[in-house]
Amino acid sequence: MTDYHPTLYWHSIDDGRVICDLCPRFCSLRAGKRGACFVRQEHNGEVVLTTYGRSSGFCIDPIEKKPLNHFYPGSSVLSFGTAGCNLGCHFCQNWSISKSRQMDTLSGLASPEQIAAAAQQHGCRSVAYTYNDPVIFLEYAIDTAKACRQLGISSVAVSAGYINPAPREQFFAHMDAANIDLKAFSDDFYHRRCGARLAPVLETLEYLTQETSVWLEITTLLIPGENDSDAELDAMTDWIADKLGPDVPLHFSAFHPDFKMMDKSRTPAATLLRAREIAQSKCLNYVYVGNVHHDTASSTFCPHCRQRVIARDWYQLGEYKVDDSGHCQHCGGTIAGRFAPFKQAFGRNRIPIKIAPS
């Protein structure tokens, strides 16, 4: 039996269809039909959410796994997602969840209040809406963020940023940090490989940096021969430097063959390091590599004195030279981000948990 939860962004048209206004797809739904995301459905002349209160699982992770390197480094985050996605990426690394069309994927049941309480119980500083894109379960995510905020727990959105302006404003009003997945810097790539468009994602990035206090980091998965050319990386990092500024951390992550792109090879570490050099040449202050082991390119360096201030070995933190207010302990320069008194890092473990329904 599917539970139907009211949604906020839709309108009806004269022929009986309803139009979902959540994302730039504007799915047009006849009676009983689902949108491209799978989880928003026409029901009794409205658009409803079919996954409210249902999760594909709950885990406690290091915050660096999101990846967020400048949002309370070393802290733990309770992570969860639902099912479905409003993009159709051929290279999806979480396709068993984001492309799921089976409701039995959603084995975990939990109210927003139960999620917030579990995060508090396990000592998590934040809750992450992740695994699949949280914009498609906007109502569930917002209610959970509200419950978290009442307990002093932050909310983190891990998203592709493919959302329309009105829901974007409401959704991110309840978020404290976001990692936005910038798939490429080519509208052709977005169209061919994701079934989407680049412009709305860029609008989300500009909105977050210019009109909110949400802490933002960006991740780009580099796929050999698809989005890793010097020309594209030049254009992307120029745009980030110009539109977002030098202090937005940028993560270049390694692709592995998956889903509908099994014919592509893994991304060489040299490609990630070349991308990092290009970004640094544009005076971007915090550029990282992911899915490969490289202690230098995973660590944080002060942009003022160039000394290492946070050492990382995968998700394990080592040397930590940032004071409680976010200043380099070598030179006193400001390190961009959100910081708090640091005692001990959570570590690299991923800990699945159960949240018992009431």
Side-chain angles (χ1 to χ4, degrees):
M1 179 72 178
T2 300
D3 292 325
Y4 299 115
H5 188 87
T7 66
L8 300 171
Y9 297 100
W10 58 273
H11 69 277
S12 57
I13 56 178
D14 291 342
D15 66 1
R17 288 177 294 163
V18 290
I19 309 298
C20 180
D21 297 318
L22 179 70
C23 88
R25 287 184 173 278
F26 292 105
C27 291
S28 173
L29 307 177
R30 295 193 182 278
K33 297 300 182 182
R34 295 175 181 265
C37 67
F38 181 67
V39 301
R40 301 177 91 82
Q41 179 182 3
E42 191 283 340
H43 179 70
N44 291 340
E46 301 180 351
V47 176
V48 297
L49 176 63
T50 60
T51 55
Y52 190 101
R54 307 177 69 187
S55 171
S56 55
F58 301 93
C59 282
I60 301 175
D61 296 313
I63 191 68
E64 287 79 12
K65 200 174 192 318
K66 296 305 96 188
L68 287 170
N69 283 356
H70 291 245
F71 188 75
Y72 303 115
S75 65
S76 60
V77 55
L78 193 160
S79 303
F80 81 99
T82 60
C85 188
N86 60 338
L87 267 66
C89 300
H90 295 174
F91 48 90
C92 184
Q93 315 275 287
N94 282 328
W95 63 270
S96 63
I97 295 172
S98 66
K99 306 305 178 189
S100 175
R101 294 295 183 264
Q102 302 297 321
M103 297 308 289
D104 58 10
T105 299
L106 303 172
S107 57
L109 301 175
S111 69
E113 293 75 20
Q114 288 171 322
I115 294 171
Q120 185 181 58
Q121 175 188 346
H122 289 279
C124 298
R125 178 175 281 276
S126 54
V127 165
Y129 314 93
T130 181
Y131 303 141
N132 68 317
D133 202 304
V135 304
I136 68 168
F137 59 94
L138 174 143
E139 294 80 9
Y140 187 25
I142 286 177
D143 286 351
T144 303
K146 289 178 179 178
C148 286
R149 192 160 283 178
Q150 289 183 347
L151 298 181
I153 295 166
S154 300
S155 284
V156 172
V158 181
S159 170
Y162 205 61
I163 186 170
N164 284 331
R168 174 193 298 142
E169 181 176 352
Q170 183 178 26
F171 179 74
F172 285 109
H174 299 279
M175 298 297 133
D176 300 286
N179 186 293
I180 300 298
D181 193 1
L182 179 57
K183 310 288 184 180
F185 204 69
S186 158
D187 192 61
D188 176 69
F189 178 97
Y190 265 87
H191 181 62
R192 287 187 302 106
R193 294 300 194 181
C194 307
R197 295 294 183 183
L198 172 62
V201 182
L202 300 184
E203 290 168 7
T204 294
L205 292 170
E206 289 190 83
Y207 172 77
L208 287 171
T209 54
Q210 297 171 14
E211 300 186 46
T212 79
S213 60
V214 175
W215 176 253
L216 172 66
E217 303 192 21
I218 298 171
T219 297
T220 297
L221 185 77
L222 293 182
I223 306 171
E226 291 282 344
N227 63 349
D228 64 342
S229 70
D230 284 3
E232 185 164 336
L233 293 168
D234 267 327
M236 183 179 77
T237 52
D238 276 337
W239 184 88
I240 291 172
D242 180 49
K243 299 294 186 179
L244 310 183
D247 287 337
V248 174
L250 176 58
H251 303 257
F252 290 114
S253 189
F255 163 87
H256 64 261
D258 216 332
F259 196 41
K260 296 181 179 179
M261 289 186 69
M262 299 298 295
D263 57 325
K264 294 288 182 180
S265 60
R266 290 178 176 268
T267 310
T271 297
L272 302 179
L273 294 173
R274 187 187 82 243
R276 181 173 182 261
E277 289 176 0
I278 290 171
Q280 289 177 323
S281 74
K282 308 302 171 61
C283 297
L284 298 185
N285 288 329
Y286 310 105
V287 190
Y288 303 99
V289 303
N291 291 350
V292 297
H293 185 260
H294 196 288
D295 57 358
T296 298
S298 298
S299 296
T300 299
F301 291 82
C302 174
H304 309 283
C305 69
R306 306 299 178 186
Q307 295 293 308
R308 184 162 65 178
V309 290
I310 304 176
R312 294 184 185 85
D313 183 2
W314 291 110
Y315 305 119
Q316 182 69 51
L317 269 60
E319 178 186 35
Y320 191 97
K321 296 292 184 182
V322 182
D323 70 18
D324 298 352
S325 58
H327 293 92
C328 171
Q329 292 181 354
H330 298 290
C331 72
T334 298
I335 307 299
R338 305 285 185 268
F339 299 93
F342 179 83
K343 295 179 181 178
Q344 183 177 0
F346 171 71
R348 69 179 69 183
N349 292 333
R350 180 176 186 267
I351 305 173
I353 64 168
K354 297 280 189 182
I355 298 179
S358 58

